Amino acid sequence: MRQSFRALTSVFCVAAAALASSACGGDEGPYSGPDPDLGSSDAEALLGACQLPDGPRTFDQQKGPPEALNGDCVPTWTAAQLSAGFAAIRDERLLTSSMQPGFMRRIPWLAVDNGCEERAQAASYFLDQWNYPPTYFARVRSKPGKSLSLDTVHEPDGNVVWSHHVAPVVQVGGQLMVLDPAIDPEGPLPIVEWRSRFSVPSDIDVALCRDHAVGTGCFDAAPAEPSLPSTAPGGIMDIRLMTEWRVQEILGRDPYRVLGDCPPWEDGCAPEPTPNPNLPPVVRGFASDQYGTPVWVPIYVIGDNFVEGLTTVHITGDGVDELAPIDAINMRSILIYKEYPLGDYQVTVYNGALASPTVPLTLAW
């Protein structure tokens, strides 16, 4: 947090000491340049509007039903800051993955199934680096026996199911606005609409947390410095970036295109090329999911120049010699649901008589 916020927090705490016996947890106001000269009446008015917790608080201590949510302490932004800040966290390419170290990446908004905590932390960190006012974290957790569910074109199954979700939240014109391009890349959402995309009010608990996007914590004794999840090879953000890449491959997208200059929300890109039936297919690998687990069921054939109605997949090995049944196909991905015995196979993909190089496939559990 910037020095001006820390100084303002100190002013509030001095004023609060004369007004109440409880300690003051930190500033929640917008950044406004030099520290203001607050008299006791100003501090009293601000403290009356925002009652911070008396010391550290966990999510369970802060949680409540959606209708009881109190956003008085959430920092205030202008509409211009909201619009520009949302576009920046959605579009800026400031990260790298150990898989493609020379290819700059955005926060992994297109890996919707997992990683909301790291996305929220990264967004808060970069906004702080760009001198925006602080954010809070809007955290939603399903009650026992319930779940959160989102329909999305960015997931191979078309739907994700969560136990919890989180994104940065700010206050604009007295309304809580959530910055979550994973839910809607078109712009920030009022918190009620944001929640409605993936939850039922009676099934959830909600908390507005200043210091923690993940874990049991919500408020620390003093405001926490925004931090970027580890981008080192094998670090949690590196893993999220690798997962996002695999998701695009499974969906049949060109990762260099969709994670580069032409994300799904970009309207100015030229259309994707179409497959050429007069050229052979290309096979780059196989997957069963986006997490890098061993391949078994289903089998995604990842490659290029697959032609619906023309392309076939020939599998041999372990007593198998057949054309595999294709359940779904697009230019870069073929889905095979048939369960084959575990073992080693050879796969050749054809466009008519035009064959790809034969590629080994190991099915394992």
Side-chain angles (χ1 to χ4, degrees):
M1 187 171 287
R2 291 176 294 280
Q3 182 62 36
S4 58
F5 286 107
R6 295 186 183 279
L8 186 55
T9 298
S10 299
V11 173
F12 282 171
C13 289
V14 169
L19 297 170
S21 59
S22 61
C24 183
D27 158 59
E28 307 307 328
Y31 177 68
S32 56
D35 299 329
D37 182 14
L38 290 179
S40 60
S41 60
D42 295 320
E44 187 173 0
L46 286 168
L47 288 167
C50 167
Q51 294 296 324
L52 286 166
D54 182 10
R57 299 279 287 182
T58 66
F59 175 89
D60 285 337
Q61 289 173 316
Q62 288 295 108
K63 72 181 182 183
E67 61 271 15
L69 203 61
N70 184 338
D72 288 344
C73 292
V74 175
T76 298
W77 287 29
T78 66
Q81 287 172 328
L82 180 67
S83 177
F86 181 89
I89 62 169
R90 182 192 63 186
D91 295 334
E92 291 295 326
R93 295 166 62 185
L94 301 170
L95 302 171
T96 57
S97 164
S98 59
M99 287 177 62
Q100 300 85 22
F103 183 64
M104 300 303 294
R105 298 279 296 279
R106 289 178 287 272
I107 295 172
W109 303 112
L110 296 179
V112 183
D113 187 45
N114 218 329
C116 60
E117 302 95 336
E118 290 77 36
R119 294 193 298 267
Q121 289 174 308
S124 178
Y125 170 80
F126 285 125
L127 289 167
D128 180 75
Q129 294 294 299
W130 298 326
N131 291 321
Y132 282 85
T135 67
Y136 266 37
F137 298 111
R139 296 179 59 179
V140 179
R141 182 182 294 172
S142 59
K143 293 181 178 179
K146 304 296 183 179
S147 62
L148 314 177
S149 178
L150 175 73
D151 292 332
T152 173
V153 298
H154 303 309
E155 169 65 23
D157 293 333
N159 176 268
V160 292
V161 177
W162 303 316
S163 62
H164 61 278
H165 190 58
V166 60
V169 61
V170 300
Q171 192 171 179
V172 178
Q175 184 174 35
L176 293 175
M177 300 295 294
V178 180
L179 297 85
D180 192 355
I183 298 293
D184 192 335
E186 297 303 318
L189 294 173
I191 193 167
V192 174
E193 182 179 350
W194 174 72
R195 292 195 320 259
S196 72
R197 300 287 183 95
F198 57 83
S199 67
V200 176
S202 60
D203 293 350
I204 61 173
D205 287 311
V206 184
L208 300 175
C209 296
R210 182 188 63 197
D211 301 309
H212 293 280
V214 62
T216 59
C218 189
F219 282 82
D220 289 340
E225 292 283 352
S227 61
L228 183 66
S230 174
T231 58
I236 187 61
M237 183 58 82
D238 187 50
I239 292 171
R240 301 305 186 206
L241 292 169
M242 289 190 287
T243 297
E244 184 185 42
W245 185 278
R246 294 191 193 102
V247 169
Q248 308 318 304
E249 290 184 321
I250 289 172
L251 288 170
R253 298 169 174 172
D254 177 0
Y256 283 105
R257 175 184 169 92
V258 76
L259 301 179
D261 295 333
C262 292
W265 53 84
E266 177 58 57
D267 295 329
C269 292
E272 280 256 47
T274 58
N276 187 341
N278 298 313
L279 293 175
V282 175
V283 178
R284 296 195 175 99
F286 306 93
S288 279
D289 59 34
Q290 61 261 46
Y291 301 111
T293 54
V295 180
W296 185 27
V297 179
I299 300 171
Y300 288 97
V301 184
I302 307 300
D304 205 349
N305 204 43
F306 303 146
V307 183
E308 186 174 4
L310 175 65
T311 298
T312 56
V313 179
H314 187 205
I315 296 183
T316 62
D318 203 22
V320 174
D321 186 348
E322 68 176 30
L323 293 179
I326 294 176
D327 294 281
I329 183 172
N330 61 35
M331 187 170 74
R332 296 189 180 89
S333 178
I334 297 170
L335 173 61
I336 300 168
Y337 272 121
K338 181 174 179 177
E339 181 177 335
Y340 289 94
L342 303 182
D344 295 322
Y345 297 85
Q346 300 292 317
V347 176
T348 310
V349 181
Y350 292 85
N351 282 344
L354 301 172
S356 72
T358 298
V359 180
L361 166 63
T362 297
L363 300 182
W365 176 247

